[in-house]
Amino acid sequence: DSDTIWQLLSSHEKTDDFVMCGTESSTEAKRNESGLSKGQAFTVLGTVKLSDGQRLVKPETPGVARKDSLEPLIRVFSWMML
């Protein structure tokens, strides 16, 4: 449930821990209800709880390297409500 996930993710805030997670894969839909790609790994860059109680998570995902560059493309998503 979202309370358990929040507790797990936010417990690593202000530590040197790397937090990785992923979405379930599916052949029917490309994105879940939050807009994240299905079957994708993510690094959690941060968590924050707003004064009104909303809980936000900031995910990052490695993308596909561009053909003209050896550097991987990193996509950082805006804060998402959990």
Side-chain angles (χ1 to χ4, degrees), residues 2-70:
S2 63
D3 291 332
T4 302
I5 294 170
W6 175 256
Q7 186 176 19
L8 178 65
L9 294 178
S10 63
S11 69
H12 294 278
E13 193 68 29
K14 298 182 183 174
T15 69
D16 291 333
D17 296 341
F18 286 100
V19 179
M20 307 277 304
C21 57
T23 56
E24 64 184 336
S25 63
S26 172
T27 57
E28 296 178 16
K30 292 185 178 184
R31 299 195 179 275
N32 66 16
E33 61 277 354
S34 299
L36 296 173
S37 297
K38 290 204 170 185
Q40 180 68 51
F42 295 91
T43 301
V44 176
L45 297 179
T47 60
V48 66
K49 189 171 187 176
L50 303 179
S51 60
D52 64 0
Q54 287 188 56
R55 302 177 295 194
L56 304 177
V57 176
K58 191 167 195 174
E60 170 192 71
T61 182
V64 178
R66 296 185 323 225
K67 291 181 181 179
D68 61 340
S69 172
L70 297 177

